Amino acid sequence: MLTEYDFSVYRCPIDPTRQAKIILDDIHIRCERCKVEFKSREGIPNFLVSDAILPENCSSIKDLPCWKSGKK
Ligand SMILES: [Zn+2]
């Protein structure tokens, strides 16, 4: 069960500064900043960026606030 995970220890893998927290939003695992959704498989969170689901109205990972945070 995902609810057994302590998501407070996780940070968004897209954020190079590792500031953005991962939250469990209902049943979805999301970055609280860029809202990217991470899948889980058999109850295990998958934080692979290549498998992540981009938020609506975002066509590229490079448009995400987390990605941009490391490109200044
Ligand atoms: Zn993020």
Side-chain angles (χ1 to χ4, degrees):
M1 282 290 289
L2 284 171
T3 50
E4 291 170 5
Y5 278 85
D6 178 9
F7 283 93
S8 66
V9 301
Y10 293 107
R11 294 295 181 271
C12 180
I14 298 166
D15 177 9
T17 64
R18 297 292 183 266
Q19 299 285 311
K21 290 179 183 166
I22 297 296
I23 53 170
L24 186 61
D25 176 6
D26 207 354
I27 58 164
H28 302 288
I29 307 163
R30 274 188 224 280
C31 169
E32 66 169 6
R33 179 157 64 182
C34 67
K35 311 297 183 202
V36 160
E37 186 183 320
F38 298 96
K39 297 180 202 171
S40 67
R41 193 164 156 185
E42 295 172 9
I44 300 166
N46 172 1
F47 290 114
L48 282 178
V49 176
S50 56
D51 289 346
I53 302 163
L54 294 172
E56 274 181 56
N57 69 39
C58 180
S59 56
S60 166
I61 198 170
K62 293 185 171 74
D63 292 333
L64 295 170
C66 278
W67 179 277
K68 289 176 180 172
S69 74
K71 307 289 171 191
K72 282 173 186 155

Short mmCIF file of all heavy atoms in Angstrom, two decimals:
data_model
loop_
_atom_site.label_atom_id
_atom_site.label_comp_id
_atom_site.label_asym_id
_atom_site.label_seq_id
_atom_site.Cartn_x
_atom_site.Cartn_y
_atom_site.Cartn_z
N MET A 1 0.83 -1.21 0.00
CA MET A 1 0.00 0.00 0.00
C MET A 1 0.86 1.25 0.00
O MET A 1 1.78 1.39 0.79
CB MET A 1 -0.90 0.01 1.23
CG MET A 1 -2.10 -0.91 1.13
SD MET A 1 -3.34 -0.34 -0.06
CE MET A 1 -4.00 1.08 0.83
N LEU A 2 0.50 2.18 -0.88
CA LEU A 2 1.26 3.42 -0.96
C LEU A 2 1.18 4.24 0.33
O LEU A 2 2.10 4.96 0.67
CB LEU A 2 0.73 4.28 -2.11
CG LEU A 2 1.14 3.81 -3.50
CD1 LEU A 2 0.40 4.59 -4.55
CD2 LEU A 2 2.63 3.95 -3.69
N THR A 3 0.07 4.12 1.01
CA THR A 3 -0.09 4.92 2.22
C THR A 3 0.90 4.51 3.30
O THR A 3 1.09 5.22 4.28
CB THR A 3 -1.52 4.77 2.77
OG1 THR A 3 -1.83 3.39 2.85
CG2 THR A 3 -2.52 5.48 1.88
N GLU A 4 1.53 3.38 3.12
CA GLU A 4 2.52 2.95 4.10
C GLU A 4 3.87 3.64 3.90
O GLU A 4 4.74 3.57 4.75
CB GLU A 4 2.70 1.42 4.04
CG GLU A 4 1.48 0.68 4.53
CD GLU A 4 1.56 -0.81 4.25
OE1 GLU A 4 2.61 -1.28 3.77
OE2 GLU A 4 0.56 -1.50 4.50
N TYR A 5 4.01 4.28 2.75
CA TYR A 5 5.27 4.98 2.49
C TYR A 5 5.28 6.32 3.19
O TYR A 5 4.26 7.00 3.27
CB TYR A 5 5.45 5.22 0.98
CG TYR A 5 5.99 4.02 0.26
CD1 TYR A 5 5.13 3.02 -0.17
CD2 TYR A 5 7.35 3.89 0.03
CE1 TYR A 5 5.62 1.90 -0.83
CE2 TYR A 5 7.85 2.79 -0.62
CZ TYR A 5 6.97 1.80 -1.05
OH TYR A 5 7.46 0.71 -1.69
N ASP A 6 6.42 6.71 3.65
CA ASP A 6 6.59 8.05 4.19
C ASP A 6 7.12 8.93 3.07
O ASP A 6 8.32 8.94 2.80
CB ASP A 6 7.56 8.02 5.37
CG ASP A 6 7.78 9.42 5.93
OD1 ASP A 6 7.06 10.35 5.52
OD2 ASP A 6 8.66 9.55 6.79
N PHE A 7 6.22 9.64 2.40
CA PHE A 7 6.62 10.42 1.23
C PHE A 7 7.40 11.68 1.60
O PHE A 7 7.97 12.34 0.75
CB PHE A 7 5.41 10.76 0.37
CG PHE A 7 4.96 9.59 -0.45
CD1 PHE A 7 3.97 8.75 0.03
CD2 PHE A 7 5.55 9.33 -1.67
CE1 PHE A 7 3.57 7.65 -0.72
CE2 PHE A 7 5.17 8.23 -2.42
CZ PHE A 7 4.17 7.39 -1.94
N SER A 8 7.40 12.02 2.87
CA SER A 8 8.11 13.24 3.27
C SER A 8 9.61 13.14 3.05
O SER A 8 10.31 14.14 3.04
CB SER A 8 7.82 13.57 4.73
OG SER A 8 8.36 12.58 5.57
N VAL A 9 10.10 11.94 2.86
CA VAL A 9 11.55 11.79 2.64
C VAL A 9 11.92 11.93 1.17
O VAL A 9 13.08 12.09 0.83
CB VAL A 9 12.08 10.43 3.16
CG1 VAL A 9 11.80 10.30 4.65
CG2 VAL A 9 11.50 9.27 2.39
N TYR A 10 10.91 11.89 0.29
CA TYR A 10 11.19 11.94 -1.14
C TYR A 10 11.20 13.36 -1.67
O TYR A 10 10.48 14.22 -1.19
CB TYR A 10 10.15 11.13 -1.92
CG TYR A 10 10.21 9.66 -1.66
CD1 TYR A 10 9.24 9.04 -0.89
CD2 TYR A 10 11.25 8.91 -2.18
CE1 TYR A 10 9.29 7.68 -0.64
CE2 TYR A 10 11.31 7.55 -1.94
CZ TYR A 10 10.34 6.94 -1.16
OH TYR A 10 10.40 5.60 -0.92
N ARG A 11 12.04 13.57 -2.66
CA ARG A 11 12.08 14.85 -3.36
C ARG A 11 11.90 14.61 -4.84
O ARG A 11 12.23 13.54 -5.34
CB ARG A 11 13.40 15.58 -3.11
CG ARG A 11 13.61 16.02 -1.67
CD ARG A 11 12.60 17.06 -1.24
NE ARG A 11 12.79 17.51 0.12
CZ ARG A 11 12.24 16.93 1.18
NH1 ARG A 11 11.47 15.86 1.05
NH2 ARG A 11 12.45 17.40 2.39
N CYS A 12 11.43 15.64 -5.52
CA CYS A 12 11.17 15.51 -6.95
C CYS A 12 12.47 15.22 -7.71
O CYS A 12 13.43 15.96 -7.59
CB CYS A 12 10.54 16.81 -7.46
SG CYS A 12 10.19 16.76 -9.22
N PRO A 13 12.49 14.15 -8.48
CA PRO A 13 13.72 13.80 -9.22
C PRO A 13 14.02 14.77 -10.36
O PRO A 13 15.13 14.78 -10.88
CB PRO A 13 13.41 12.40 -9.76
CG PRO A 13 11.93 12.30 -9.79
CD PRO A 13 11.42 13.16 -8.67
N ILE A 14 13.03 15.59 -10.72
CA ILE A 14 13.25 16.57 -11.79
C ILE A 14 13.93 17.82 -11.26
O ILE A 14 14.57 18.55 -11.99
CB ILE A 14 11.89 16.92 -12.45
CG1 ILE A 14 11.29 15.66 -13.08
CG2 ILE A 14 12.05 17.99 -13.53
CD1 ILE A 14 9.83 15.79 -13.45
N ASP A 15 13.79 18.03 -9.97
CA ASP A 15 14.35 19.23 -9.34
C ASP A 15 15.81 18.98 -8.93
O ASP A 15 16.08 18.23 -8.00
CB ASP A 15 13.50 19.58 -8.11
CG ASP A 15 14.06 20.77 -7.35
OD1 ASP A 15 14.98 21.43 -7.87
OD2 ASP A 15 13.58 21.03 -6.24
N PRO A 16 16.75 19.60 -9.62
CA PRO A 16 18.17 19.36 -9.32
C PRO A 16 18.56 19.83 -7.93
O PRO A 16 19.54 19.37 -7.38
CB PRO A 16 18.91 20.17 -10.38
CG PRO A 16 17.89 20.61 -11.36
CD PRO A 16 16.56 20.59 -10.68
N THR A 17 17.79 20.77 -7.38
CA THR A 17 18.12 21.28 -6.06
C THR A 17 17.49 20.44 -4.95
O THR A 17 17.75 20.66 -3.77
CB THR A 17 17.66 22.75 -5.90
OG1 THR A 17 16.24 22.81 -5.99
CG2 THR A 17 18.27 23.63 -6.99
N ARG A 18 16.64 19.51 -5.37
CA ARG A 18 15.98 18.59 -4.43
C ARG A 18 15.25 19.34 -3.30
O ARG A 18 15.38 19.02 -2.13
CB ARG A 18 17.00 17.62 -3.81
CG ARG A 18 17.64 16.70 -4.82
CD ARG A 18 16.66 15.68 -5.40
NE ARG A 18 17.31 14.75 -6.30
CZ ARG A 18 17.37 14.90 -7.62
NH1 ARG A 18 16.82 15.93 -8.20
NH2 ARG A 18 17.98 14.01 -8.35
N GLN A 19 14.50 20.36 -3.72
CA GLN A 19 13.70 21.12 -2.77
C GLN A 19 12.24 20.70 -2.79
O GLN A 19 11.57 20.73 -1.77
CB GLN A 19 13.78 22.62 -3.11
CG GLN A 19 15.18 23.21 -3.05
CD GLN A 19 15.66 23.41 -1.63
OE1 GLN A 19 14.95 23.97 -0.81
NE2 GLN A 19 16.84 22.92 -1.35
N ALA A 20 11.76 20.36 -3.97
CA ALA A 20 10.33 20.10 -4.13
C ALA A 20 9.95 18.74 -3.54
O ALA A 20 10.56 17.72 -3.84
CB ALA A 20 9.96 20.14 -5.61
N LYS A 21 8.96 18.77 -2.71
CA LYS A 21 8.56 17.54 -2.02
C LYS A 21 7.59 16.71 -2.85
O LYS A 21 6.83 17.23 -3.66
CB LYS A 21 7.89 17.90 -0.70
CG LYS A 21 8.83 18.46 0.31
CD LYS A 21 8.09 18.82 1.58
CE LYS A 21 9.06 19.46 2.57
NZ LYS A 21 8.36 20.13 3.67
N ILE A 22 7.63 15.45 -2.57
CA ILE A 22 6.67 14.52 -3.16
C ILE A 22 5.53 14.34 -2.17
O ILE A 22 5.76 14.15 -0.98
CB ILE A 22 7.34 13.16 -3.45
CG1 ILE A 22 8.46 13.30 -4.48
CG2 ILE A 22 6.32 12.12 -3.89
CD1 ILE A 22 8.02 13.73 -5.85
N ILE A 23 4.32 14.40 -2.68
CA ILE A 23 3.17 14.20 -1.82
C ILE A 23 2.28 13.09 -2.38
O ILE A 23 2.30 12.82 -3.57
CB ILE A 23 2.33 15.49 -1.69
CG1 ILE A 23 1.95 16.04 -3.07
CG2 ILE A 23 3.10 16.55 -0.89
CD1 ILE A 23 0.93 17.16 -3.01
N LEU A 24 1.55 12.49 -1.50
CA LEU A 24 0.54 11.53 -1.94
C LEU A 24 -0.78 12.27 -1.99
O LEU A 24 -1.36 12.63 -0.96
CB LEU A 24 0.47 10.35 -0.96
CG LEU A 24 -0.44 9.21 -1.38
CD1 LEU A 24 0.03 8.58 -2.69
CD2 LEU A 24 -0.50 8.15 -0.29
N ASP A 25 -1.21 12.54 -3.22
CA ASP A 25 -2.40 13.33 -3.47
C ASP A 25 -3.52 12.36 -3.82
O ASP A 25 -3.61 11.89 -4.93
CB ASP A 25 -2.09 14.30 -4.61
CG ASP A 25 -3.30 15.11 -5.02
OD1 ASP A 25 -4.34 15.01 -4.36
OD2 ASP A 25 -3.18 15.85 -6.02
N ASP A 26 -4.36 12.07 -2.86
CA ASP A 26 -5.37 11.04 -3.04
C ASP A 26 -4.66 9.72 -3.32
O ASP A 26 -3.96 9.21 -2.45
CB ASP A 26 -6.32 11.44 -4.17
CG ASP A 26 -7.70 10.82 -4.00
OD1 ASP A 26 -7.85 10.01 -3.07
OD2 ASP A 26 -8.60 11.15 -4.77
N ILE A 27 -4.76 9.23 -4.55
CA ILE A 27 -4.04 7.99 -4.85
C ILE A 27 -2.84 8.26 -5.75
O ILE A 27 -2.13 7.35 -6.15
CB ILE A 27 -4.96 6.95 -5.53
CG1 ILE A 27 -5.55 7.54 -6.82
CG2 ILE A 27 -6.04 6.50 -4.57
CD1 ILE A 27 -6.15 6.48 -7.73
N HIS A 28 -2.63 9.53 -6.08
CA HIS A 28 -1.56 9.86 -7.00
C HIS A 28 -0.32 10.35 -6.26
O HIS A 28 -0.42 11.09 -5.30
CB HIS A 28 -2.01 10.95 -7.98
CG HIS A 28 -3.21 10.55 -8.77
ND1 HIS A 28 -3.15 9.61 -9.76
CD2 HIS A 28 -4.50 10.94 -8.68
CE1 HIS A 28 -4.36 9.44 -10.27
NE2 HIS A 28 -5.21 10.22 -9.63
N ILE A 29 0.82 9.94 -6.76
CA ILE A 29 2.08 10.42 -6.22
C ILE A 29 2.49 11.61 -7.06
O ILE A 29 2.68 11.47 -8.27
CB ILE A 29 3.16 9.32 -6.33
CG1 ILE A 29 2.67 8.02 -5.71
CG2 ILE A 29 4.47 9.79 -5.68
CD1 ILE A 29 3.48 6.82 -6.13
N ARG A 30 2.60 12.76 -6.44
CA ARG A 30 2.87 13.97 -7.20
C ARG A 30 3.97 14.79 -6.57
O ARG A 30 4.18 14.75 -5.37
CB ARG A 30 1.63 14.87 -7.20
CG ARG A 30 0.64 14.60 -8.25
CD ARG A 30 -0.40 15.70 -8.24
NE ARG A 30 -1.74 15.16 -8.35
CZ ARG A 30 -2.26 14.79 -9.51
NH1 ARG A 30 -1.59 14.92 -10.62
NH2 ARG A 30 -3.47 14.28 -9.54
N CYS A 31 4.60 15.60 -7.43
CA CYS A 31 5.48 16.64 -6.93
C CYS A 31 4.61 17.82 -6.52
O CYS A 31 3.76 18.24 -7.29
CB CYS A 31 6.47 17.05 -8.01
SG CYS A 31 7.36 18.55 -7.57
N GLU A 32 4.84 18.35 -5.34
CA GLU A 32 3.99 19.46 -4.88
C GLU A 32 4.23 20.72 -5.68
O GLU A 32 3.41 21.62 -5.69
CB GLU A 32 4.20 19.74 -3.39
CG GLU A 32 5.58 20.27 -3.10
CD GLU A 32 5.71 20.80 -1.67
OE1 GLU A 32 4.77 20.66 -0.90
OE2 GLU A 32 6.78 21.34 -1.36
N ARG A 33 5.37 20.83 -6.33
CA ARG A 33 5.65 22.04 -7.10
C ARG A 33 5.28 21.90 -8.57
O ARG A 33 4.50 22.67 -9.09
CB ARG A 33 7.13 22.42 -6.98
CG ARG A 33 7.45 23.68 -7.79
CD ARG A 33 8.67 24.39 -7.29
NE ARG A 33 9.85 23.58 -7.45
CZ ARG A 33 11.06 23.97 -7.06
NH1 ARG A 33 11.22 25.12 -6.48
NH2 ARG A 33 12.09 23.20 -7.23
N CYS A 34 5.85 20.92 -9.26
CA CYS A 34 5.61 20.85 -10.71
C CYS A 34 4.41 19.98 -11.07
O CYS A 34 4.00 19.96 -12.22
CB CYS A 34 6.86 20.38 -11.45
SG CYS A 34 7.37 18.70 -11.12
N LYS A 35 3.84 19.29 -10.08
CA LYS A 35 2.61 18.50 -10.27
C LYS A 35 2.78 17.29 -11.18
O LYS A 35 1.80 16.71 -11.62
CB LYS A 35 1.45 19.37 -10.82
CG LYS A 35 1.23 20.66 -10.09
CD LYS A 35 0.83 20.45 -8.65
CE LYS A 35 0.55 21.78 -7.97
NZ LYS A 35 0.66 21.68 -6.51
N VAL A 36 4.01 16.97 -11.48
CA VAL A 36 4.24 15.75 -12.24
C VAL A 36 3.75 14.56 -11.41
O VAL A 36 3.92 14.54 -10.19
CB VAL A 36 5.73 15.61 -12.58
CG1 VAL A 36 6.10 14.18 -12.92
CG2 VAL A 36 6.09 16.52 -13.73
N GLU A 37 3.15 13.64 -12.11
CA GLU A 37 2.62 12.47 -11.42
C GLU A 37 3.52 11.26 -11.68
O GLU A 37 3.92 11.00 -12.82
CB GLU A 37 1.21 12.18 -11.94
CG GLU A 37 0.50 11.09 -11.21
CD GLU A 37 -0.86 10.82 -11.82
OE1 GLU A 37 -1.56 11.78 -12.20
OE2 GLU A 37 -1.21 9.64 -11.94
N PHE A 38 3.83 10.59 -10.61
CA PHE A 38 4.65 9.39 -10.74
C PHE A 38 3.77 8.16 -10.54
O PHE A 38 2.87 8.14 -9.70
CB PHE A 38 5.79 9.41 -9.72
CG PHE A 38 6.71 10.56 -9.94
CD1 PHE A 38 6.56 11.73 -9.23
CD2 PHE A 38 7.70 10.49 -10.90
CE1 PHE A 38 7.39 12.83 -9.45
CE2 PHE A 38 8.53 11.57 -11.14
CZ PHE A 38 8.38 12.74 -10.41
N LYS A 39 4.06 7.16 -11.31
CA LYS A 39 3.27 5.94 -11.24
C LYS A 39 3.78 5.05 -10.11
O LYS A 39 4.87 5.23 -9.59
CB LYS A 39 3.39 5.17 -12.55
CG LYS A 39 2.85 5.91 -13.75
CD LYS A 39 3.04 5.03 -14.97
CE LYS A 39 3.04 5.85 -16.25
NZ LYS A 39 3.44 5.05 -17.41
N SER A 40 2.96 4.11 -9.79
CA SER A 40 3.44 3.08 -8.89
C SER A 40 3.10 1.73 -9.50
O SER A 40 2.17 1.61 -10.30
CB SER A 40 2.80 3.20 -7.52
OG SER A 40 1.42 2.92 -7.61
N ARG A 41 3.90 0.77 -9.17
CA ARG A 41 3.68 -0.55 -9.71
C ARG A 41 3.73 -1.54 -8.56
O ARG A 41 4.71 -1.60 -7.84
CB ARG A 41 4.79 -0.84 -10.72
CG ARG A 41 4.49 -2.04 -11.57
CD ARG A 41 5.43 -2.02 -12.78
NE ARG A 41 5.59 -3.35 -13.30
CZ ARG A 41 6.41 -3.67 -14.28
NH1 ARG A 41 7.15 -2.73 -14.83
NH2 ARG A 41 6.51 -4.89 -14.71
N GLU A 42 2.62 -2.23 -8.42
CA GLU A 42 2.51 -3.19 -7.32
C GLU A 42 2.86 -2.55 -5.99
O GLU A 42 3.54 -3.14 -5.15
CB GLU A 42 3.37 -4.42 -7.60
CG GLU A 42 2.88 -5.20 -8.81
CD GLU A 42 3.81 -6.33 -9.23
OE1 GLU A 42 4.75 -6.61 -8.48
OE2 GLU A 42 3.58 -6.91 -10.30
N GLY A 43 2.40 -1.31 -5.84
CA GLY A 43 2.58 -0.63 -4.56
C GLY A 43 3.93 0.02 -4.35
O GLY A 43 4.20 0.56 -3.29
N ILE A 44 4.78 -0.05 -5.36
CA ILE A 44 6.12 0.54 -5.23
C ILE A 44 6.21 1.79 -6.09
O ILE A 44 5.98 1.73 -7.30
CB ILE A 44 7.21 -0.46 -5.65
CG1 ILE A 44 7.11 -1.70 -4.77
CG2 ILE A 44 8.59 0.17 -5.58
CD1 ILE A 44 7.89 -2.88 -5.28
N PRO A 45 6.51 2.94 -5.49
CA PRO A 45 6.60 4.17 -6.28
C PRO A 45 7.71 4.09 -7.32
O PRO A 45 8.78 3.56 -7.05
CB PRO A 45 6.94 5.24 -5.23
CG PRO A 45 6.61 4.64 -3.92
CD PRO A 45 6.78 3.17 -4.07
N ASN A 46 7.39 4.61 -8.50
CA ASN A 46 8.36 4.62 -9.59
C ASN A 46 8.71 6.08 -9.88
O ASN A 46 7.91 6.81 -10.43
CB ASN A 46 7.72 3.96 -10.82
CG ASN A 46 8.57 4.10 -12.07
OD1 ASN A 46 9.66 4.67 -12.03
ND2 ASN A 46 8.08 3.60 -13.17
N PHE A 47 9.91 6.48 -9.52
CA PHE A 47 10.31 7.87 -9.68
C PHE A 47 11.16 8.09 -10.93
O PHE A 47 11.87 9.08 -11.03
CB PHE A 47 11.06 8.36 -8.43
CG PHE A 47 10.16 8.50 -7.24
CD1 PHE A 47 10.32 7.67 -6.14
CD2 PHE A 47 9.14 9.44 -7.22
CE1 PHE A 47 9.49 7.79 -5.03
CE2 PHE A 47 8.30 9.57 -6.13
CZ PHE A 47 8.47 8.74 -5.03
N LEU A 48 11.07 7.17 -11.87
CA LEU A 48 11.78 7.38 -13.13
C LEU A 48 11.13 8.53 -13.88
O LEU A 48 9.93 8.54 -14.14
CB LEU A 48 11.71 6.12 -13.99
CG LEU A 48 12.63 4.98 -13.61
CD1 LEU A 48 12.40 3.79 -14.53
CD2 LEU A 48 14.08 5.42 -13.67
N VAL A 49 11.94 9.50 -14.24
CA VAL A 49 11.42 10.68 -14.93
C VAL A 49 10.83 10.29 -16.29
O VAL A 49 9.84 10.84 -16.73
CB VAL A 49 12.52 11.74 -15.09
CG1 VAL A 49 12.03 12.93 -15.89
CG2 VAL A 49 13.01 12.19 -13.72
N SER A 50 11.44 9.31 -16.92
CA SER A 50 10.96 8.91 -18.25
C SER A 50 9.58 8.27 -18.20
O SER A 50 8.87 8.22 -19.20
CB SER A 50 11.96 7.95 -18.89
OG SER A 50 12.19 6.83 -18.03
N ASP A 51 9.17 7.80 -17.03
CA ASP A 51 7.85 7.20 -16.88
C ASP A 51 6.83 8.15 -16.26
O ASP A 51 5.67 7.81 -16.11
CB ASP A 51 7.94 5.95 -15.98
CG ASP A 51 8.65 4.81 -16.66
OD1 ASP A 51 8.83 4.87 -17.89
OD2 ASP A 51 9.04 3.85 -15.97
N ALA A 52 7.28 9.32 -15.88
CA ALA A 52 6.39 10.25 -15.18
C ALA A 52 5.35 10.83 -16.12
O ALA A 52 5.56 10.91 -17.33
CB ALA A 52 7.21 11.38 -14.55
N ILE A 53 4.22 11.22 -15.56
CA ILE A 53 3.13 11.79 -16.34
C ILE A 53 3.14 13.30 -16.15
O ILE A 53 3.00 13.80 -15.03
CB ILE A 53 1.78 11.21 -15.88
CG1 ILE A 53 1.80 9.70 -16.02
CG2 ILE A 53 0.63 11.84 -16.67
CD1 ILE A 53 0.72 8.99 -15.23
N LEU A 54 3.30 14.01 -17.25
CA LEU A 54 3.34 15.47 -17.18
C LEU A 54 1.95 16.01 -16.89
O LEU A 54 0.96 15.42 -17.31
CB LEU A 54 3.84 16.04 -18.51
CG LEU A 54 5.29 15.72 -18.88
CD1 LEU A 54 5.58 16.19 -20.30
CD2 LEU A 54 6.25 16.35 -17.91
N PRO A 55 1.88 17.13 -16.18
CA PRO A 55 0.57 17.74 -15.92
C PRO A 55 -0.05 18.24 -17.22
O PRO A 55 0.66 18.48 -18.20
CB PRO A 55 0.88 18.89 -14.97
CG PRO A 55 2.34 19.14 -15.08
CD PRO A 55 2.97 17.87 -15.56
N GLU A 56 -1.37 18.41 -17.21
CA GLU A 56 -2.05 18.99 -18.36
C GLU A 56 -1.46 20.36 -18.65
O GLU A 56 -0.97 21.02 -17.76
CB GLU A 56 -3.55 19.14 -18.07
CG GLU A 56 -4.34 17.89 -18.36
CD GLU A 56 -5.82 18.10 -18.08
OE1 GLU A 56 -6.39 19.04 -18.66
OE2 GLU A 56 -6.37 17.36 -17.26
N ASN A 57 -1.57 20.78 -19.86
CA ASN A 57 -1.02 22.05 -20.36
C ASN A 57 0.49 22.14 -20.21
O ASN A 57 1.06 23.22 -20.19
CB ASN A 57 -1.73 23.29 -19.78
CG ASN A 57 -1.47 23.52 -18.29
OD1 ASN A 57 -0.35 23.33 -17.79
ND2 ASN A 57 -2.48 23.94 -17.58
N CYS A 58 1.14 21.02 -20.08
CA CYS A 58 2.59 21.00 -20.08
C CYS A 58 3.04 19.93 -21.07
O CYS A 58 2.75 18.76 -20.89
CB CYS A 58 3.13 20.68 -18.70
SG CYS A 58 4.92 20.65 -18.65
N SER A 59 3.72 20.36 -22.13
CA SER A 59 4.05 19.42 -23.19
C SER A 59 5.48 18.89 -23.08
O SER A 59 5.83 17.90 -23.68
CB SER A 59 3.86 20.07 -24.56
OG SER A 59 4.63 21.25 -24.63
N SER A 60 6.28 19.58 -22.29
CA SER A 60 7.67 19.18 -22.20
C SER A 60 8.17 19.27 -20.77
O SER A 60 7.78 20.16 -20.01
CB SER A 60 8.54 20.09 -23.09
OG SER A 60 9.90 19.92 -22.75
N ILE A 61 9.01 18.35 -20.42
CA ILE A 61 9.59 18.35 -19.08
C ILE A 61 10.37 19.64 -18.83
O ILE A 61 10.50 20.12 -17.71
CB ILE A 61 10.47 17.10 -18.90
CG1 ILE A 61 10.73 16.84 -17.43
CG2 ILE A 61 11.76 17.22 -19.67
CD1 ILE A 61 11.38 15.51 -17.17
N LYS A 62 10.83 20.24 -19.92
CA LYS A 62 11.63 21.47 -19.80
C LYS A 62 10.79 22.68 -19.43
O LYS A 62 11.31 23.73 -19.11
CB LYS A 62 12.38 21.73 -21.10
CG LYS A 62 13.45 20.69 -21.39
CD LYS A 62 14.26 21.05 -22.62
CE LYS A 62 15.46 20.14 -22.78
NZ LYS A 62 15.13 18.81 -23.23
N ASP A 63 9.46 22.54 -19.49
CA ASP A 63 8.57 23.63 -19.10
C ASP A 63 8.22 23.59 -17.62
O ASP A 63 7.55 24.49 -17.11
CB ASP A 63 7.26 23.56 -19.91
CG ASP A 63 7.50 23.87 -21.37
OD1 ASP A 63 8.46 24.60 -21.68
OD2 ASP A 63 6.72 23.37 -22.20
N LEU A 64 8.63 22.55 -16.95
CA LEU A 64 8.25 22.40 -15.55
C LEU A 64 9.05 23.31 -14.63
O LEU A 64 10.25 23.51 -14.84
CB LEU A 64 8.46 20.94 -15.12
CG LEU A 64 7.58 19.92 -15.81
CD1 LEU A 64 8.06 18.52 -15.48
CD2 LEU A 64 6.13 20.09 -15.40
N PRO A 65 8.40 23.84 -13.61
CA PRO A 65 9.11 24.71 -12.66
C PRO A 65 10.29 24.01 -11.99
O PRO A 65 11.31 24.65 -11.71
CB PRO A 65 8.04 25.10 -11.64
CG PRO A 65 6.82 24.34 -11.95
CD PRO A 65 6.96 23.75 -13.31
N CYS A 66 10.13 22.73 -11.73
CA CYS A 66 11.24 22.02 -11.09
C CYS A 66 12.46 21.95 -12.01
O CYS A 66 13.59 22.13 -11.58
CB CYS A 66 10.81 20.60 -10.70
SG CYS A 66 9.92 20.56 -9.13
N TRP A 67 12.22 21.69 -13.28
CA TRP A 67 13.32 21.61 -14.24
C TRP A 67 14.01 22.96 -14.34
O TRP A 67 15.23 23.07 -14.34
CB TRP A 67 12.77 21.17 -15.61
CG TRP A 67 13.82 21.09 -16.67
CD1 TRP A 67 14.33 22.11 -17.43
CD2 TRP A 67 14.52 19.90 -17.10
NE1 TRP A 67 15.28 21.65 -18.29
CE2 TRP A 67 15.41 20.30 -18.11
CE3 TRP A 67 14.45 18.57 -16.71
CZ2 TRP A 67 16.25 19.38 -18.74
CZ3 TRP A 67 15.28 17.66 -17.35
CH2 TRP A 67 16.18 18.07 -18.35
N LYS A 68 13.20 24.01 -14.42
CA LYS A 68 13.75 25.35 -14.59
C LYS A 68 14.53 25.80 -13.36
O LYS A 68 15.41 26.64 -13.46
CB LYS A 68 12.61 26.34 -14.86
CG LYS A 68 12.00 26.17 -16.24
CD LYS A 68 10.83 27.11 -16.41
CE LYS A 68 10.21 26.95 -17.79
NZ LYS A 68 8.95 27.70 -17.90
N SER A 69 14.19 25.26 -12.22
CA SER A 69 14.84 25.70 -11.00
C SER A 69 16.34 25.44 -11.02
O SER A 69 17.11 26.10 -10.34
CB SER A 69 14.22 25.00 -9.78
OG SER A 69 14.63 23.65 -9.73
N GLY A 70 16.75 24.48 -11.81
CA GLY A 70 18.18 24.17 -11.86
C GLY A 70 18.88 24.76 -13.06
O GLY A 70 20.04 24.50 -13.30
N LYS A 71 18.17 25.57 -13.83
CA LYS A 71 18.73 26.10 -15.06
C LYS A 71 18.94 27.59 -15.02
O LYS A 71 18.80 28.27 -16.00
CB LYS A 71 17.77 25.76 -16.24
CG LYS A 71 17.41 24.31 -16.36
CD LYS A 71 18.60 23.47 -16.83
CE LYS A 71 18.27 22.00 -16.73
NZ LYS A 71 19.44 21.14 -16.91
N LYS A 72 19.20 28.10 -13.86
CA LYS A 72 19.39 29.54 -13.75
C LYS A 72 20.87 29.88 -13.78
O LYS A 72 21.69 29.10 -13.39
CB LYS A 72 18.76 30.06 -12.47
CG LYS A 72 17.26 30.18 -12.64
CD LYS A 72 16.57 30.54 -11.32
CE LYS A 72 15.06 30.51 -11.52
NZ LYS A 72 14.37 30.25 -10.30
ZN ZN B 1 8.81 18.62 -9.33
#
